[in-house]
Amino acid sequence: MSLAGIASQLLQLAIALALAPLLVGWVNQCRAWLQNKSAPPLLLPYFTIRKLFVKDAVVADNASAIFRITPYVVFGAMCCAAAIVPSLATDLPFASAADAIALVGLFALARVFIALAAMDIGTAFGSLGARREMLVGFLAEPALLMVLFTASLISGSTSLPSIVDTLAHRELAIYPSLAFAGVAFTMVSLAENARIPVDNPATHLELTMIHEAMLLEYSARHLALMEWAAALKLFNYSCIGLALFCPYGIAAAESGFLALLGAAPVLIAKLAVGGFLLATIETLSAKMRIFRAPEFLGTAFLLAVLGMLVNQMLGS
């Protein structure tokens, strides 16, 4: 375990914790600009999290231990995911655990706990959101695995640092399989992060909300952790997409500390472009009915499978 690896690991986790709310604020700003609305402050997510942390928590009398520990479990799972996704460098002490299947397992762990906590209080909205969340997860996880497996076929490994090293540090080539996988990953990312067209993060309409319905019973520090974890999840999915489809700028394992510092502004620039593209997709899309979500995610799964088949037939 090298000193540069420890530094890259700590710096990567610190940047994820610091930039995740900023990414949410940037997406909200771009979305407001594209819709010709008055944009909220860029730092509003930070102010919201800080305000929630200083308030007193109100917990239902019939809340069990699952409801109380879920914010910490979900936040911890998102922090672990941020630590194993190679966003700045591939020389990570957690590289041995940075497996595609382990990453999907972390997302599944957070989903199961948040669904259990939503049903724990026994409210109608929480149970409704939990069932919808599990439906989306049941359909999105296989598609995400197929996307990661498509990239692993090119590199010959399911280790995320190995995939990034293979794609970023070889001669420029066109991979038709990654084109299918990229479209599928975009669709999965929209669904997993409760974005339009699958969900609308800005609504509290009981007939359409999924993620927000599971957070209605949380307050104060618990709600702050859940909101921060949601921002981290969006950040993690953005970094996964950049690592798989735009890995250029990520420092290699043999690079020094200067290369690590140079990778940080490149990551910020790529996240800014990705956030603008996400806002554009949301602006151009309409919120679909919840019953259309299986068709949407089924299409993503088929595109990911097509990417694997193209890789097998063309070898690229």
Side-chain angles (χ1 to χ4, degrees):
M1 187 180 295
S2 64
L3 183 61
I6 297 175
S8 62
Q9 186 73 83
L10 295 177
L11 180 61
Q12 179 170 296
L13 184 57
I15 286 180
L17 291 172
L19 291 186
L22 185 64
L23 177 61
V24 174
W26 170 247
V27 173
N28 292 338
Q29 270 203 344
C30 293
R31 185 176 171 183
W33 291 335
L34 292 171
Q35 295 175 358
N36 199 24
K37 295 180 180 179
S38 178
L42 181 63
L43 302 180
L44 181 60
Y46 295 102
F47 300 149
T48 302
I49 292 174
R50 179 184 177 277
K51 177 182 67 176
L52 291 173
F53 267 121
V54 299
K55 289 188 174 183
D56 294 329
V58 177
V59 182
D61 294 334
N62 60 334
S64 69
I66 292 179
F67 183 85
R68 300 172 187 270
I69 68 172
T70 289
Y72 304 98
V73 173
V74 173
F75 183 77
M78 291 302 106
C79 288
C80 289
I84 67 176
V85 176
S87 57
L88 288 180
T90 57
D91 183 17
L92 303 175
F94 292 165
S96 59
D99 188 85
I101 301 176
L103 181 63
V104 176
L106 285 172
F107 291 137
L109 174 67
R111 176 181 295 105
V112 169
F113 267 89
I114 193 174
L116 290 176
M119 294 185 293
D120 184 67
I121 303 300
T123 60
F125 286 167
S127 300
L128 182 69
R131 290 195 296 267
R132 291 176 174 177
E133 176 70 13
M134 295 307 294
L135 171 66
V136 171
F138 172 76
L139 298 169
E141 286 176 5
L144 178 59
L145 281 171
M146 292 300 104
V147 170
L148 295 173
F149 287 160
T150 301
S152 68
L153 289 175
I154 298 176
S155 63
S157 172
T158 57
S159 173
L160 292 176
S162 298
I163 294 174
V164 172
D165 276 329
T166 301
L167 296 177
H169 305 119
R170 63 163 50 178
E171 64 277 3
L172 183 63
I174 298 176
Y175 298 98
S177 58
L178 289 183
F180 289 99
V183 177
F185 179 82
T186 302
M187 299 171 71
V188 171
S189 181
L190 291 172
E192 286 278 66
N193 290 282
R195 314 299 301 194
I196 295 175
V198 177
D199 192 14
N200 187 355
T203 186
H204 279 83
L205 182 61
E206 62 271 15
L207 295 178
T208 62
M209 62 181 175
I210 301 176
H211 178 74
E212 292 297 324
M214 299 185 292
L215 305 184
L216 293 178
E217 296 299 322
Y218 280 110
S219 62
R221 63 181 182 278
H222 298 142
L223 182 58
L225 287 174
M226 296 296 275
E227 294 289 353
W228 202 351
L232 274 171
K233 187 175 183 180
L234 178 62
F235 182 89
N236 289 334
Y237 267 88
S238 301
C239 289
I240 293 171
L242 294 176
L244 294 180
F245 309 109
C246 187
Y248 307 103
I250 299 177
E254 64 275 5
S255 301
F257 192 71
L258 292 179
L260 182 63
L261 294 179
V266 175
L267 173 64
I268 295 174
K270 291 192 292 186
L271 287 174
V273 175
F276 179 79
L277 293 177
L278 174 60
T280 303
I281 293 174
E282 289 193 294
T283 302
L284 298 177
S285 304
K287 171 69 175 65
M288 67 174 62
R289 297 171 58 192
I290 187 63
F291 302 108
R292 298 287 302 276
E295 300 177 11
F296 182 81
L297 291 171
T299 303
F301 178 77
L302 290 177
L303 288 172
V305 172
L306 280 175
M308 292 186 65
L309 294 177
V310 168
N311 180 276
Q312 292 296 311
M313 290 186 296
L314 301 180
S316 64

